[in-house]
Amino acid sequence: MFTAIEIVQIVAIVSLLMVLLILFCAIDLMVYLRKKDQDISGSIVIRWLFLSYSKVFYPHTAVSSASKKDHPLLKKEEMENFEYDVVKNFDKVSKGKITKESKSKKKKKELNAKDTLMIFNNIKKPLLRLVRGTICNLKLRCGRCEVSFGFSDPADTGILCGFLFGLFGSVNQYLKNFSYFLEPKFDEKVLNLEFKADVRVRIYKFIPHVLRFTFDRGVLRTGWLLVRTYR
């Protein structure tokens, strides 16, 4: 039989091994997402060592039609009783909450324009450095994104087109296996998307970037400002 000290030591060793495995062993993430008209489908697969987790998303129309068949509607009398109880309870609760909400709104503090601009200047460089370090440490084995989009106003479509080309172009500099295809449509309102990615991640590579962001002077200054404002 093990003594209490030996059991504690075994638990500590096992916990340490689990933490090391999580930090240093690769995690594979495979994502597929497709949106066409109102239907959204896709799948997510996560693999770590011998463990695997998968989730499949089916089109909304198929799920809604199946749910209507599987779950019959409530009877008319039950629905009327349910609505009456909800309205009655809402009236009781709302009367007590009106005065509390009015008092809380008076005491609520908000950031002014000067503080908001200072927060933006403080976290802009650390945040961009964190995003850049995160993207560089992702091992993308293959990735592709196809987007067709359009707004009722062609000017908005042009603005979004320029933004997306700049965004995907910047990402493509760091992820060479990533390809994209953008199709702006100036004559109709539409948003179709197809995204595929196979990524390998090792968590220990992100720790230095997260620590550098957390202990940055600008980030600490911003955190203290938010705590002082909303405490």
Side-chain angles (χ1 to χ4, degrees):
M1 296 295 294
F2 295 101
T3 62
I5 297 177
E6 291 175 344
I7 293 175
V8 172
Q9 291 176 346
I10 292 173
V11 172
I13 293 173
V14 172
S15 302
L16 179 61
L17 291 176
M18 288 297 298
V19 171
L20 293 176
L21 286 174
I22 293 173
L23 291 177
F24 291 94
C25 290
I27 300 174
D28 294 327
L29 176 63
M30 288 166 282
V31 180
Y32 173 73
L33 178 64
R34 184 174 183 271
K35 180 188 180 299
K36 188 174 182 180
D37 298 331
Q38 299 297 326
D39 295 336
I40 300 177
S41 60
S43 62
I44 298 176
V45 179
I46 302 175
R47 293 177 180 173
W48 177 69
L49 296 178
F50 55 88
L51 301 176
S52 178
Y53 171 80
S54 61
K55 178 69 175 179
V56 180
F57 303 95
Y58 297 99
H60 178 70
T61 55
V63 175
S64 61
S65 61
S67 61
K68 290 180 181 178
K69 295 179 181 179
D70 295 337
H71 302 284
L73 295 175
L74 293 174
K75 295 181 180 179
K76 185 177 180 180
E77 295 179 355
E78 295 177 353
M79 184 62 70
E80 291 177 353
N81 293 332
F82 175 75
E83 293 178 353
Y84 175 77
D85 292 337
V86 171
V87 173
K88 187 177 179 181
N89 293 329
F90 178 77
D91 291 337
K92 291 180 180 179
V93 176
S94 59
K95 290 179 181 178
K97 285 186 175 181
I98 290 174
T99 55
K100 293 181 180 179
E101 289 179 356
S102 60
K103 292 180 180 179
S104 62
K105 288 181 179 179
K106 292 180 181 179
K107 296 180 180 179
K108 186 178 180 180
K109 298 180 181 179
E110 294 182 355
L111 295 172
N112 53 33
K114 182 180 178 181
D115 293 335
T116 304
L117 182 61
M118 185 178 67
I119 290 174
F120 176 76
N121 292 329
N122 287 337
I123 68 172
K124 179 177 64 175
K125 290 183 178 179
L127 184 61
L128 290 176
R129 187 168 57 238
L130 176 64
V131 173
R132 193 182 302 113
T134 301
I135 294 176
C136 291
N137 286 286
L138 291 175
K139 186 178 180 181
L140 182 67
R141 289 181 283 196
C142 65
R144 180 170 177 79
C145 184
E146 298 181 3
V147 185
S148 60
F149 57 93
F151 295 100
S152 56
D153 188 355
D156 296 335
T157 304
I159 294 173
L160 181 60
C161 180
F163 173 77
L164 291 180
F165 270 106
L167 176 64
F168 283 112
S170 301
V171 173
N172 199 18
Q173 291 181 355
Y174 300 100
L175 303 176
K176 300 300 181 183
N177 294 329
F178 178 76
S179 60
Y180 62 93
F181 176 75
L182 301 178
E183 183 183 5
K185 295 186 176 182
F186 297 93
D187 56 347
E188 60 178 326
K189 186 177 180 180
V190 64
L191 178 58
N192 295 329
L193 170 69
E194 186 172 359
F195 177 78
K196 301 178 183 178
D198 186 359
V199 185
R200 171 163 287 187
V201 179
R202 295 183 188 274
I203 296 178
Y204 79 93
K205 293 184 178 181
F206 301 98
I207 294 178
H209 301 285
V210 175
L211 292 177
R212 187 178 181 183
F213 173 80
T214 304
F215 293 101
D216 185 87
R217 290 184 179 179
V219 177
L220 293 176
R221 204 178 301 122
T222 300
W224 169 245
L225 175 63
L226 294 176
V227 171
R228 187 178 57 188
T229 304
Y230 294 105
R231 65 180 177 180

